[in-house]
Amino acid sequence: MTAKVQNVVTSGVFQLDGGSWDVDNNVWLIGDDREVFVIDAAHDAAAIAEAVGDRKVRAIICTHAHNDHVNAAPELAERTGAPILLHPDDRVLWDLTHPDQRPDAELEDGQILTIAGTDLSVLHTPGHAPGAVCLYSRELGTVFTGDTLFHGGPGATGRSYSDHPTIVKSIKEKLFALPDDTVVNTGHGESTTIGAEKANV
């Protein structure tokens, strides 16, 4: 049996560079009836924990460290005992939100994370944030892109620690190498496919 994908939408505030914006975030659970990964613990640890139920959370994986993707991570980690995983290049952003707590382990490009017999490959895709990563499952035909790629094109690059040419390079080299029918599960909004976004980048 392969893992299943579950979506929880949480709401809160994204803050950076002195600005704040109300946002809805996609939190993704990947696993089976016994164990799950949580991708991007956003805003509401209680709601995420309720969706997890009595399953074991093996890891809380951060696609990047903007506050709206990590603000509930420490509380969820405390509730579940799960480690928080983050690419080291995003510590500069993590420390803005959680200056007194470090992530538990580092993500690296090419790393394989396995849950419920299903592999997720870590793809380092800087641009929206320096340590942004996507998580690709060939078996599920799905890539979890955080804020790197959306329905409609690349993530925003107008704020600190982001760069437009870098995100375009990441998308073209890492994501567009995936099959066109790969489902893109994003950090905000609706899902899309790799093929559909090739015209938008």
Side-chain angles (χ1 to χ4, degrees):
M1 281 183 59
T2 58
K4 293 183 174 65
V5 177
Q6 181 181 353
N7 178 224
V8 179
V9 178
T10 60
S11 301
V13 178
F14 167 49
Q15 296 175 309
L16 188 65
D17 297 340
S20 62
W21 301 264
D22 293 331
V23 289
D24 296 328
N25 282 63
N26 289 321
V27 180
W28 298 99
L29 309 183
I30 303 96
D32 59 14
D33 293 338
R34 297 174 296 107
E35 59 181 9
V36 293
F37 285 150
V38 174
I39 298 178
D40 288 344
H43 307 305
D44 192 338
I48 300 167
E50 183 178 357
V52 168
D54 59 2
R55 294 175 290 179
K56 174 72 174 176
V57 180
R58 294 294 179 189
I60 299 164
I61 305 169
C62 308
T63 62
H64 63 294
H66 283 149
N67 78 291
D68 60 317
H69 289 256
V70 301
N71 51 12
E75 183 184 343
L76 187 64
E78 187 174 344
R79 285 171 174 259
T80 63
I84 299 169
L85 312 184
L86 177 74
H87 193 283
D89 289 356
D90 249 30
R91 274 299 301 277
V92 63
L93 288 166
W94 172 273
D95 290 345
L96 294 175
T97 304
H98 302 301
D100 300 322
Q101 180 170 348
R102 298 167 57 92
D104 298 293
E106 295 182 348
L107 295 168
E108 62 181 54
D109 189 53
Q111 181 179 357
I112 303 296
L113 304 170
T114 303
I115 189 75
T118 301
D119 290 343
L120 293 175
S121 301
V122 177
L123 309 175
H124 181 213
T125 52
H128 179 71
V133 300
C134 298
L135 301 151
Y136 172 58
S137 172
R138 182 181 305 277
E139 193 172 0
L140 297 176
T142 297
V143 61
F144 301 90
T145 56
D147 288 0
T148 294
L149 182 63
F150 289 108
H151 181 274
T157 53
R159 303 186 184 99
S160 295
Y161 309 108
S162 64
D163 181 73
H164 185 71
T166 301
I167 199 173
V168 171
K169 183 173 187 285
S170 293
I171 291 168
K172 287 183 174 178
E173 292 184 357
K174 296 286 183 70
L175 299 183
F176 286 176
L178 305 178
D180 280 358
D181 61 354
T182 301
V183 175
V184 176
N185 287 323
T186 63
H188 307 271
E190 63 187 287
S191 297
T192 180
T193 65
I194 290 295
E197 295 313 312
K198 285 185 173 177
N200 296 322
V201 176

